[in-house]
Amino acid sequence: MPAINYPAEEDKSYPVACKTALLPLKTTAKGNCPPADPDKPDVIDFALSNFKANCLQKNFEFKSFGDRTMVYATLFISQCIARLHKRKPATKEEGKKLLFALAMEEFSIPGDGNFPISAFYDAPKSKDESDTWKIYSKQLREEITNRLLDKVFDGDALNKFWVHQWVKRKFLNKSLG
């Protein structure tokens, strides 16, 4: 089964930074992303709903700039799951604090020597492009942590089976952290 790509027609008219489409997000987090239609799925919904299928993939054919956004989101979801597995928060509130701290941590960007998926992205051509990518990615990361909580917690308890099942899977054999 091939990896599931982000619908190419969805990212045609959005700005691009480092070969990454700055797609609309349904979010209240501060940032530079365009607002998404609340009645339609956004790239985070797409990445979360296809996480299990894509997580099993070792290869990925990029067909659009939106694919790079979705790949980064999928790798960040994997990083969140790994952090939850390692720290095992007792409550959903502890998990929220843990994931929010992860979203706010310094992270590498395309062009940095330690950016693990640099082969798929262009280095920023200017400080402005670098800042744009970083602000968008931070907003994406923060919104992912908010939405992931409902998937990995049953009520107030961490769904250890779900987390344990997916912590060992590495999408494209890569990880962000």
Side-chain angles (χ1 to χ4, degrees), residues 152-163:
V152 298
F153 279 86
D154 290 330
D156 200 40
L158 182 65
N159 182 336
K160 292 178 182 154
F161 174 75
W162 198 94
V163 170

Side-chain angles (χ1 to χ4, degrees), residues 131-162:
D131 291 344
T132 298
W133 195 92
K134 193 153 194 151
I135 291 166
Y136 180 82
S137 297
K138 192 171 196 174
Q139 189 176 13
L140 180 75
R141 290 162 65 101
E142 186 177 344
E143 187 58 32
I144 287 170
T145 63
N146 290 334
R147 296 194 212 169
L148 184 61
L149 288 169
D150 292 332
K151 292 210 176 275
V152 298
F153 279 86
D154 290 330
D156 200 40
L158 182 65
N159 182 336
K160 292 178 182 154
F161 174 75
W162 198 94

